[in-house]
Amino acid sequence: MTGLPISVCIIAKNEEKHIEKCLKRLKLYHYEIVLADTGSTDATVEIASKYTDKIYHFDWINDFGAARNFAISKASNDWILSIDCDEYIETIDEELLSTLMQQKPDAAGQILIRNRFTQGGQSSIENIRVSRFFNRKYFHFVGAIHEQIEYIDATSDIQEIQDSSYCPKHVYPAPITVLHVGYDGSEDEMRIKCLRNIELLEKELENNGPDSYIYYQLGQSCMRLKNYSEAYKWFDLGLSMDVDPSQTYVQTMVESYGYCLLELKMNEEALQLLNIYDDFAVRADFVFLIGFIYMNNGLFDEAVGEFEKATTMKQFAVEGINSYRANYNIGVIYECTRHLEEAREYYRKCGNFEPALERLKEIG
């Protein structure tokens, strides 16, 4: 059986922990696999050689975009799926994908990435769509860190994109889902990765000037390090620029900014986000955040109203935000205000969400 004319391009360095599972999942689809190794000293290349003979060495120059473009240059097919070693294919609707390839050759396919992470001791999933499927005749990567695809102009090196997120103007949801497990590592691994990213992102700023997307990524890296004051600084800079509320990264930046304010005990300042409610209350995550801000300011009735609203919304990023997580917080409010029957009712709505089960045991 031969698959669609797709080359899956991957860059790797010391990824023996993830690469076998990544390539084993890919092999089911019979796509060409191209690996650019940037200097592994473990068994990465040896493991990869069981799944592909298209393995190339790329001298690392602190530029992820350059490494990805190198891998793309070695592909036999024009259609490219770019993933990382710690991303495992879950589903691909090949029939629909084939149709989209014919209908939208010069548009970018945004694959669904399910980011697994731990929050408050609980495993969580954040869903994001990222442009990772495209025809190399029209796109290439730009950016040394948190690289994005950008249009290639036929008459010049790069066709400028109007917003600073680098996102292509013409995109569609590609029927490809991957699970990203890169945030599952130890605290030391996460710290090393975040510090490396911060160094590269700050260099990007130095070389290219202010950019809201780079500010956003700097803030996210600082959040993962729990350096909330530094994250606040970067998010504040990003949001002070002329940003588009419809961009997913801008929505996430606003939400992260709000959680930073709460971590820094700037609860009253966080209420200022009500001024942009109409622009950002388009997905449950922002509405949930507002409920949490009300909760932290002791405005419990208002908080319940926002959490209830979140449960009615279909658009969300973090799983549970529009269901068991919102219901859990309503239960907490009712428990704290000694409305125990109501608290039990909402905890029961949370299903197998462990914190809710613990509270039910506690209050009986």
Side-chain angles (χ1 to χ4, degrees):
M1 175 184 173
T2 57
L4 296 171
I6 293 169
S7 293
V8 182
C9 294
I10 305 171
I11 60 173
K13 182 179 180 181
N14 294 335
E15 290 284 359
E16 64 180 9
K17 179 179 176 182
H18 300 295
I19 196 165
E20 181 125 41
K21 189 170 183 178
C22 173
L23 298 185
K24 191 176 285 187
R25 296 270 188 101
L26 276 172
K27 203 67 177 176
L28 298 173
Y29 294 93
H30 304 276
Y31 303 146
E32 178 183 61
I33 298 171
V34 180
L35 181 78
D37 186 80
T38 63
S40 294
T41 55
D42 64 2
T44 296
V45 172
E46 180 184 347
I47 294 169
S49 65
K50 296 191 295 183
Y51 298 91
T52 180
D53 59 359
K54 301 209 72 173
I55 300 174
Y56 304 91
H57 175 75
F58 178 78
D59 288 330
W60 182 239
I61 55 172
N62 288 329
D63 191 323
F64 283 93
R68 291 198 190 279
N69 287 331
F70 172 79
I72 290 168
S73 74
K74 299 297 184 181
S76 302
N77 302 302
D78 286 330
W79 284 99
I80 305 296
L81 171 61
S82 178
I83 67 170
D84 292 326
C85 295
D86 56 8
E87 293 174 344
Y88 308 148
I89 295 291
E90 291 191 320
T91 60
I92 300 178
D93 183 338
E94 289 194 290
E95 185 176 349
L96 176 56
L97 188 61
S98 178
T99 299
L100 291 167
M101 288 164 67
Q102 295 172 50
Q103 293 177 347
K104 302 174 182 288
D106 58 349
Q110 295 187 316
I111 71 172
L112 181 65
I113 299 180
R114 302 175 67 242
N115 287 317
R116 192 168 69 194
F117 66 100
T118 300
Q119 185 178 61
Q122 293 292 316
S123 180
S124 302
I125 296 285
E126 179 188 28
N127 297 293
I128 62 170
R129 282 203 173 269
V130 181
S131 297
R132 296 274 203 87
F133 182 71
F134 55 91
N135 190 307
R136 67 179 175 185
K137 291 179 180 178
Y138 301 98
F139 298 97
H140 66 175
F141 278 98
V142 295
I145 178 71
H146 292 296
E147 60 286 358
Q148 306 284 304
I149 64 168
E150 192 172 71
Y151 289 107
I152 300 171
D153 189 3
T155 58
S156 64
D157 290 335
I158 297 175
Q159 175 182 323
E160 293 294 333
I161 303 305
Q162 294 302 308
D163 64 75
S164 63
S165 69
Y166 306 119
C167 293
K169 290 296 181 186
H170 303 292
V171 298
Y172 60 89
I176 302 171
T177 303
V178 304
L179 175 67
H180 175 227
V181 299
Y183 300 141
D184 284 356
S186 68
E187 283 193 22
D188 284 344
E189 289 173 329
M190 182 62 68
R191 180 175 178 78
I192 290 168
K193 184 184 290 187
C194 287
L195 291 174
R196 176 207 65 191
N197 289 352
I198 288 169
E199 181 181 352
L200 292 173
L201 287 162
E202 288 182 334
K203 192 171 182 180
E204 281 272 287
L205 280 181
E206 186 181 324
N207 292 337
N208 302 315
D211 186 301
S212 63
Y213 182 75
I214 300 300
Y215 288 141
Y216 157 69
Q217 291 291 0
L218 278 162
Q220 293 294 87
S221 290
C222 291
M223 282 277 280
R224 292 187 187 105
L225 292 173
K226 295 183 171 58
N227 187 346
Y228 299 110
S229 58
E230 194 71 5
Y232 167 81
K233 177 190 81 173
W234 294 121
F235 290 140
D236 197 48
L237 283 168
L239 293 170
S240 70
M241 298 183 72
D242 185 18
V243 292
D244 180 358
S246 70
Q247 292 284 334
T248 301
Y249 87 93
V250 175
Q251 294 168 7
T252 303
M253 179 159 52
V254 166
E255 291 153 12
S256 296
Y257 176 74
Y259 285 112
C260 263
L261 291 172
L262 296 179
E263 290 287 349
L264 294 169
K265 308 301 180 188
M266 298 169 67
N267 296 333
E268 288 188 23
E269 290 88 340
L271 285 169
Q272 296 301 311
L273 290 179
L274 289 168
N275 294 329
I276 56 172
Y277 189 94
D278 290 343
D279 287 329
F280 288 93
V282 294
R283 66 180 188 180
D285 304 75
F286 182 81
V287 173
F288 180 95
L289 166 65
I290 295 298
F292 210 60
I293 290 171
Y294 276 138
M295 193 174 172
N296 277 267
N297 279 280
L299 301 168
F300 297 134
D301 289 343
E302 292 86 346
V304 168
E306 293 301 311
F307 290 134
E308 289 277 20
K309 181 178 177 180
T311 64
T312 68
M313 301 179 72
K314 293 182 179 179
Q315 190 175 339
F316 66 93
V318 177
E319 290 185 5
I321 282 284
N322 65 339
S323 55
Y324 59 87
R325 292 185 186 278
N327 286 324
Y328 174 74
N329 279 343
I330 296 173
V332 169
I333 290 172
Y334 281 132
E335 183 181 354
C336 290
T337 55
R338 305 307 298 166
H339 293 83
L340 296 187
E341 192 50 51
E342 289 88 344
R344 292 186 190 96
E345 176 190 346
Y346 278 90
Y347 287 146
R348 291 189 190 107
K349 289 183 178 183
C350 299
N352 292 323
F353 187 49
E354 191 60 38
L357 295 176
E358 290 176 4
R359 296 314 309 151
L360 282 170
K361 284 181 187 176
E362 186 70 25
I363 64 176

